Amino acid sequence: MEKLSLQNPLFATYVVAATLMILKAVGMSWLTVVRMMQAKGGFRSPEDIRKTALNPEPSPKQLEPNERVERIRRIHLNELENVPFFLVAGFLFILTEPSLLLARALLYGYVVSRFLHFAAYVSAQTHDMRATLWTVGSLILIFMTCWTLLAALGY
């Protein structure tokens, strides 16, 4: 069985986790748009307040920050700061051929931590809660990266 085949359970596990993280990150863009349309504001660029079919009553106030829109933007930025590291670290990790149980625990554990982080952030939980959930994912990334480094060094 080839390492990079969906017939390989390790690679398939990575593909599921990576796909969920990509869809979540892309979904944040859509959620930002939904929030801007609901608020009829939170726009960033001057051309956004031109009269169009989607903005029939433009106003300069639409360029003012809107907390509901900005919260989603902050969540999206957090995704963009974290998910690329996961995609690379997870891919390299599965190339070391860890046990399937370990791979699933770490890869799916990361996915769960990020979805819980999103839920905590979108529902305005405390920084301590968000930080705890972020830390779980970060420690998973560190573990996978160190595991991969040690494997590459022959340990």
Side-chain angles (χ1 to χ4, degrees), residues 21-59:
M21 289 292 82
I22 292 167
L23 287 172
K24 182 175 176 299
V26 171
M28 296 311 303
S29 299
W30 287 93
L31 188 51
T32 302
V33 170
V34 167
R35 286 274 174 102
M36 287 189 314
M37 298 307 290
Q38 288 172 341
K40 296 182 181 160
F43 304 148
R44 286 205 165 154
S45 302
E47 62 272 15
D48 296 344
I49 59 169
R50 292 183 188 150
K51 188 173 183 169
T52 66
L54 294 176
N55 192 9
E57 298 176 24
S59 164

Side-chain angles (χ1 to χ4, degrees), residues 3 8 22 60 74 107 129 150:
K3 280 186 184 182
N8 177 349
I22 292 167
R74 290 190 300 271
L107 295 169
M129 174 65 75
L150 291 173

Side-chain angles (χ1 to χ4, degrees), residues 113-130:
S113 76
R114 294 304 301 171
F115 274 93
L116 291 174
H117 180 270
F118 166 78
Y121 213 146
V122 80
S123 64
Q125 300 300 309
T126 65
H127 178 265
D128 295 357
M129 174 65 75
R130 292 192 326 267

